[in-house]
Amino acid sequence: MAMPMRRTLMVLHRATCNSLMNAEASLVVRHPVPLFLPVRTKKRYFIPPAVGVKGRIEKNTEERGRAAGVVPKQEYFERPINIACTAGIFDPYIPPEGDARLSTLTKEGLKQRTEQIRQSAASQLAIRKIKEYDSLFTTKDFAERAQEIFIEAHKTLTEFNKEKLHSLVTERCYPEMTRGNRFKTIHWKFIESLEPPKVVHARCPDMVTKGNLYGQVTVRMHSKQTLAIYDRFGRLMLGSEEQPKDVLEYLVIERHLVNPYGRWRLHGKIVPSWAPAKDPIIKTVMIPGPKLSAGQEFDASSIEVPKPEAVQWYK
């Protein structure tokens, strides 16, 4: 009697376990993930702004922050620098007055000759240093190459090709050449050289570090050029296209010597103190017309507008 009862209980237990497992399996299959997740939201209250805080200036903010345990971040006011070129002309060349050699018997002539000897000695040392980085550098060939750079840079300026102009002039010379030319038309032409260009000065300064060397060579160029600048209305402001002028210039060509991909570019110009002052430009003004009576028509053919005369210009 006991055996059949035990077997019956075992069968019932197995059936109950199977039914529970099937129920759990059905629950798992039907609902693998919950469809909705409960999220606790943060209660937000409206805080009205304090009265008078907008116009009040906080004082000693740094001390209050340190007292509260907040360390303020230190601010650094640094200016970026460009090491592709120097910021100016080191030991600029001083042209002799009138570009002529005075007699050594006079006091001024003796002083001029002494200054020339001192500058030539320093130039020879700088040229020797430049040749260590540029083996093809010679004073005779470099003067002609500097003149070609000058002509190409000014032709590019008239076309206002920014990309090509950056490859011919340094970052210091670029704003000086392009400043104020946005609404102007420039007509420039190189006619001929009155004297062959000549290297008169050379320096090899360093910047930031001792080994960061730059080469600066001053070239004397005496040539005949024409320049005419027109304003945005098409009226002549300076110079003339028909009348050429003799121009004496001292150009400074620079190169970053330690840079293997560096090139010689126009860096600036030395204007001697004895050079004559520039003439003022011709500005466009309104010319008042004749007073007309009632019913009278304006006849443009009878009005003669005066043309501005060409003036001497200095670059």
Side-chain angles (χ1 to χ4, degrees), residues 96-266:
E97 186 173 356
D99 196 52
R101 181 176 296 180
L102 301 176
S103 175
T104 54
L105 300 177
T106 61
K107 183 178 180 181
E108 292 77 10
L110 184 62
K111 185 178 180 181
Q112 182 185 36
R113 187 60 179 168
T114 305
E115 184 68 20
Q116 288 179 354
I117 294 173
R118 186 188 67 81
Q119 291 185 353
S120 61
S123 297
Q124 291 297 327
L125 296 175
I127 291 172
R128 189 181 304 173
K129 194 72 175 178
I130 292 172
K131 287 183 177 180
E132 295 180 4
Y133 295 90
D134 188 0
S135 59
L136 302 177
F137 179 85
T138 57
T139 55
K140 185 177 180 181
D141 298 338
F142 181 80
E144 297 178 357
R145 185 166 37 151
Q147 186 175 0
E148 294 176 0
I149 294 172
F150 170 80
I151 296 172
E152 191 67 23
H154 282 72
K155 286 183 179 179
T156 308
L157 179 64
T158 57
E159 302 169 359
F160 205 73
N161 189 347
K162 297 182 180 180
E163 290 76 13
K164 189 176 181 181
L165 188 60
H166 273 293
S167 64
L168 295 170
V169 301
T170 60
E171 287 75 12
R172 173 188 177 271
C173 184
Y174 181 84
E176 294 182 357
M177 290 185 66
T178 60
R179 186 182 294 116
N181 297 338
R182 184 177 180 182
F183 300 108
K184 296 181 179 65
T185 304
I186 303 174
H187 291 174
W188 179 87
K189 186 179 180 180
F190 182 86
I191 299 176
E192 61 177 350
S193 290
L194 300 177
E195 296 181 34
K198 183 176 64 174
V199 174
V200 295
H201 193 72
R203 287 295 180 269
C204 191
D206 52 9
M207 190 174 69
V208 182
T209 57
K210 191 172 183 180
N212 192 26
L213 296 176
Y214 298 83
Q216 290 186 353
V217 182
T218 305
V219 179
R220 178 187 179 274
M221 195 176 72
H222 191 199
S223 60
K224 184 175 290 187
Q225 308 170 16
T226 59
L227 174 68
I229 302 178
Y230 299 90
D231 59 6
R232 57 179 178 170
F233 304 106
R235 296 178 175 87
L236 184 66
M237 295 180 62
L238 188 68
S240 174
E241 295 187 54
E242 291 80 15
Q243 186 178 0
K245 299 293 181 181
D246 299 343
V247 184
L248 177 63
E249 296 174 309
Y250 296 90
L251 310 174
V252 180
I253 314 296
E254 186 185 87
R255 178 185 172 181
H256 194 193
L257 297 178
V258 296
N259 184 7
Y261 303 102
R263 61 175 65 184
W264 292 101
R265 298 184 294 174
L266 184 63

Side-chain angles (χ1 to χ4, degrees), residues 261-276:
Y261 303 102
R263 61 175 65 184
W264 292 101
R265 298 184 294 174
L266 184 63
H267 185 63
K269 186 179 5 177
I270 297 175
V271 180
S273 58
W274 44 265

Side-chain angles (χ1 to χ4, degrees), residues 15-28:
T16 305
C17 290
N18 290 336
S19 63
L20 290 173
M21 290 177 65
N22 292 334
E24 291 178 359
S26 63
L27 288 173
V28 172

Side-chain angles (χ1 to χ4, degrees), residues 42-62:
K42 181 181 178 181
K43 293 182 180 181
R44 295 178 174 86
Y45 300 97
F46 173 73
I47 302 176
V51 179
V53 174
K54 185 176 180 181
R56 188 173 57 189
I57 301 174
E58 291 289 339
K59 295 182 179 180
N60 299 329
T61 309
E62 185 176 350

